[in-house]
Amino acid sequence: MVLAGGVFDVPIRKDLVHRVVRWQLAKRQQGTHSTKTISEVSGTGRKPWNQKGTGRARHGSLRGPQFRHGATMHGPKPRSHAIKLQKKVRRLGLKSELSARTAEGKLIVFENFDIATHKTKHIASCMSQMDDVKKVLLVDDDSINEKLKMATKNLHYVNVLPSIGLNLYDILRHDTLVMTKADVDKIVERMHTPINC
Amino acid sequence: MLKNFTKFISTNRSLRPLLPLHPPSPISVHNGILGFFGGSHGAGVVRMLAMGYSSLLNLNDLQDSPGRRKQKTRKGRGIGSGKGKTAGRGHKGQKARGTHKCGFEGGQTPLRRRLPKRGFTNQFSLTFQPIGLGKIAKLINAGKIDSSELITMKTLKDTGAVGKQIEDGVRLMGRGAEEIQWPIHLEVSRVTVRAKEAVEAAGGSVRKVHYNKLGLRALLKPEWFEKKRRLLPRPARPPPKIRDKVDSIGRLPAPTKPIPFAPEPEP
């Protein structure tokens, strides 16, 4: 089988890979952090004591940032941390990553993932037979084989993705990428569909 | 073992025994195009060098290209930053303490009132997007424009020659006129003298057509009318002042065949 050079043999753009990872990590942030400003802190707005006369410092409210139980200045508010990234950059990042894995020899292509049994120890023994493999990403077709799903569920070093879920950060986290032949065709097709139709 | 095991790529296994002979030199993966992975030649040499690292792309050594991202100056954050204490405002005074109105000169008549007003804005002026002949030639060579068909403003927009914002029409200009060597037929709003000469020297023709705003929209975006279930409008005649500047009324929808100029009358 010959892999498409336009997808699996492109020059590696490390800076683009960095940008894509930053984009992926930013957009998955929940952003549900919140603090109270002085208008939201519970408490009265009354001036605590006279401006002049008492020997104390002058204050207008007991809920300013210097006070205990007071407001937080410029604190976080719920917001989205997502950043925009050009679609062509995202695509080239994925291609760079696939090329890198291909060049190191860490890309394995199977005909299909028909395994005999759903037992975890079967997969675990296969993984121990493959040398120099610490974390494996299996990419199956859109409907993942049920037996494969069950067999790999409890192994923390094996992860399965449907073919549509192939993304750069997941490939980077795992050191070996295992795909099916149909999957490779799907990825090549995905990379070749024009971006603005 | 998994059934149907067929490993298609296993290059680094064969190169492994050679590793002890070469000290693992750090492969400087420059932040830029790594040329040698693009071609099949030389890939074997590079893979031996790559054995020094565990893999080419690691999560812990990703970096953007130098100079790509610049940190912003945060004022008032200590001596070392260079913008601490007074934060670039100098000492005391109104400018240091608060904001003052932009352009205020302390009561002296400000510059924008000292200078006279000038002119007026013509509501009826028309703005045409320029497009050079060189760009059209480049697109024809690339195969995006069909030179046998009539080139209208719609084809220029669709192929990306002009861009999405076309205000009142397209003006054909002469930059790159030497590259036109075949007859092409164009229908645009305006032409410059040299551009017209260049096209006619090659055997083509340029016709200046008039479209008003609605007509131009119907030419460039007929699907907008379909979506609203409106018929395409009738092309408008040019107003009297513009009649001398155009040759004919534009046609809707976008035409495909050029109208030949009338042959000279027989003497």
Side-chain angles (χ1 to χ4, degrees), chain A:
Chain A
M1 177 191 183
V2 181
L3 294 177
V7 178
F8 290 92
D9 199 19
V10 299
I12 298 177
R13 289 290 303 266
K14 212 163 161 200
D15 50 338
L16 297 191
V17 170
H18 172 270
R19 277 180 234 172
V20 176
V21 169
R22 187 171 163 259
W23 168 75
Q24 278 195 266
L25 292 179
K27 74 199 239 318
R28 74 176 191 180
Q29 275 192 275
Q30 208 176 347
T32 50
H33 34 62
S34 182
T35 50
K36 290 187 162 40
T37 62
I38 194 165
S39 54
E40 292 163 358
V41 169
S42 156
T44 175
R46 192 181 63 189
K47 192 171 168 66
W49 46 81
N50 291 347
Q51 178 85 349
K52 300 184 76 67
T54 70
R56 304 200 58 176
R58 49 191 178 179
H59 288 302
S61 139
L62 280 179
R63 295 289 191 243
Q66 69 267 40
F67 283 108
R68 177 174 174 256
H69 305 313
T72 308
M73 289 310 293
H74 305 304
K77 285 285 183 196
R79 66 177 173 112
S80 157
H81 290 266
I83 49 179
K84 287 194 198 174
L85 191 63
Q86 294 91 339
K87 291 186 182 175
K88 293 185 186 178
V89 170
R90 299 181 216 166
R91 191 172 270 199
L92 193 52
L94 188 58
K95 285 188 199 171
S96 289
E97 183 60 39
L98 290 169
S99 313
R101 289 286 180 254
T102 316
E104 299 155 4
K106 297 284 192 174
L107 174 70
I108 306 174
V109 183
F110 282 76
E111 288 283 344
N112 49 30
F113 281 143
D114 291 336
I115 45 177
T117 128
H118 63 276
K119 298 294 269 175
T120 310
K121 65 182 177 189
H122 181 69
I123 299 276
S125 67
C126 294
M127 292 297 149
S128 55
Q129 282 172 21
M130 289 162 66
D131 46 337
D132 204 25
V133 153
K134 288 211 192 83
K135 262 184 119 179
V136 179
L137 183 65
L138 300 171
V139 189
D140 202 354
D141 289 332
D142 288 329
S143 55
I144 304 175
N145 192 355
E146 278 298 324
K147 285 198 197 150
L148 183 70
K149 206 197 268 189
M150 273 207 273
T152 53
K153 206 152 126 173
N154 210 16
L155 293 172
H156 72 271
Y157 51 88
V158 179
N159 282 324
V160 188
L161 274 184
S163 63
I164 197 70
L166 187 62
N167 65 88
L168 188 135
Y169 185 58
D170 278 332
I171 306 179
L172 261 179
R173 281 194 307 148
H174 301 78
D175 59 29
T176 314
L177 182 60
V178 180
M179 301 171 83
T180 55
K181 208 158 145 216
D183 208 34
V184 169
D185 295 329
K186 271 198 194 148
I187 266 291
V188 170
E189 206 190 298
R190 191 167 114 186
M191 291 290 116
H192 284 155
T193 43
I195 288 180
N196 37 334
C197 344

Side-chain angles (χ1 to χ4, degrees), chain A residues 3 9 11-15 17-19 21-22 97 103-104 109-110 112 115 129 131 169 172-173, chain B residues 1-2 4-6 8 12-13 29 32-34 37 47 55-57 61-65 68-69:
Chain A
L3 294 177
D9 199 19
I12 298 177
R13 289 290 303 266
K14 212 163 161 200
D15 50 338
V17 170
H18 172 270
R19 277 180 234 172
V21 169
R22 187 171 163 259
E97 183 60 39
E104 299 155 4
V109 183
F110 282 76
N112 49 30
I115 45 177
Q129 282 172 21
D131 46 337
Y169 185 58
L172 261 179
R173 281 194 307 148
Chain B
M1 212 39 194
L2 288 160
N4 300 319
F5 179 87
T6 345
F8 293 111
N12 65 338
R13 303 280 166 91
V29 179
I33 296 182
L34 200 63
F37 277 97
R47 278 185 203 136
S55 63
L56 287 166
L57 279 179
D61 72 347
L62 289 179
Q63 251 190 37
D64 212 338
S65 6
R68 168 99 168 100
R69 225 178 292 262

Side-chain angles (χ1 to χ4, degrees), chain B residues 24 32 35 39 42 49 51 66 82-83 85 97 127 135 176-177 191 201 247-248 254:
Chain B
L49 287 174
M51 296 322 290
K83 293 271 175 194
K85 194 176 118 172
R97 298 193 212 276
T127 329
K135 198 156 190 192
V191 209
D247 295 329
S248 62

Side-chain angles (χ1 to χ4, degrees), chain B:
Chain B
M1 212 39 194
L2 288 160
K3 275 189 192 162
N4 300 319
F5 179 87
T6 345
K7 189 162 183 178
F8 293 111
I9 297 135
S10 55
T11 43
N12 65 338
R13 303 280 166 91
S14 51
L15 291 171
R16 206 161 273 186
L18 294 170
L19 179 59
L21 299 177
H22 292 263
S25 48
I27 179 171
S28 51
V29 179
H30 293 294
N31 295 319
I33 296 182
L34 200 63
F36 22 80
F37 277 97
S40 51
H41 56 272
V45 174
V46 175
R47 278 185 203 136
M48 285 202 292
L49 287 174
M51 296 322 290
Y53 274 37
S54 56
S55 63
L56 287 166
L57 279 179
N58 282 317
L59 261 180
N60 61 346
D61 72 347
L62 289 179
Q63 251 190 37
D64 212 338
S65 6
R68 168 99 168 100
R69 225 178 292 262
K70 195 172 160 181
Q71 278 194 330
K72 61 178 184 180
T73 354
R74 295 178 72 222
K75 292 184 176 176
R77 293 292 185 275
I79 307 172
S81 74
K83 293 271 175 194
K85 194 176 118 172
T86 49
R89 286 193 179 213
H91 286 279
K92 301 190 188 173
Q94 190 187 18
K95 283 175 83 169
R97 298 193 212 276
T99 44
H100 53 294
K101 197 157 109 172
C102 177
F104 186 61
E105 294 182 17
Q108 171 182 285
T109 318
L111 187 70
R112 58 172 184 271
R113 288 194 60 194
R114 267 183 267 148
L115 303 172
K117 295 203 286 187
R118 191 175 161 92
F120 74 107
T121 324
N122 189 355
Q123 289 186 45
F124 307 104
S125 66
L126 301 168
T127 329
F128 300 106
Q129 304 304 110
I131 170 94
L133 279 173
K135 198 156 190 192
I136 298 183
K138 194 163 117 182
L139 287 170
I140 295 181
N141 287 335
K144 290 201 176 160
I145 299 186
D146 192 357
S147 54
S148 56
E149 302 242 328
L150 176 67
I151 302 175
T152 60
M153 297 193 266
K154 184 167 170 58
T155 50
L156 291 176
K157 181 187 167 197
D158 289 338
T159 54
V162 188
K164 293 189 194 169
Q165 295 276 45
I166 300 184
E167 296 191 36
D168 293 301
V170 175
R171 170 176 270 133
L172 191 64
M173 315 276 284
R175 186 178 281 186
E178 319 75 57
E179 297 173 32
I180 300 279
Q181 282 133 16
W182 341 261
I184 49 172
H185 303 279
L186 295 150
E187 259 195 14
V188 285
S189 309
R190 301 280 189 272
V191 209
T192 56
V193 172
R194 290 210 193 140
K196 185 159 183 175
E197 277 171 11
V199 171
E200 296 195 331
S205 72
V206 181
R207 178 174 277 269
K208 292 186 286 205
V209 286
H210 173 78
Y211 286 98
N212 64 353
K213 272 285 202 182
L214 184 66
L216 193 64
R217 174 172 275 254
L219 175 75
L220 300 174
K221 270 196 191 173
E223 56 272 4
W224 183 86
F225 288 82
E226 258 196 62
K227 192 167 154 196
K228 296 206 165 209
R229 282 181 259 146
R230 278 170 70 157
L231 297 172
L232 284 184
R234 282 160 54 183
R237 285 170 300 175
K241 281 192 181 173
I242 301 184
R243 241 181 267 156
D244 316 324
K245 298 191 187 164
V246 292
D247 295 329
S248 62
I249 309 176
R251 289 174 280 164
L252 290 169
T256 46
K257 290 271 177 279
I259 311 175
F261 284 98
E264 289 181 12
E266 315 281 296

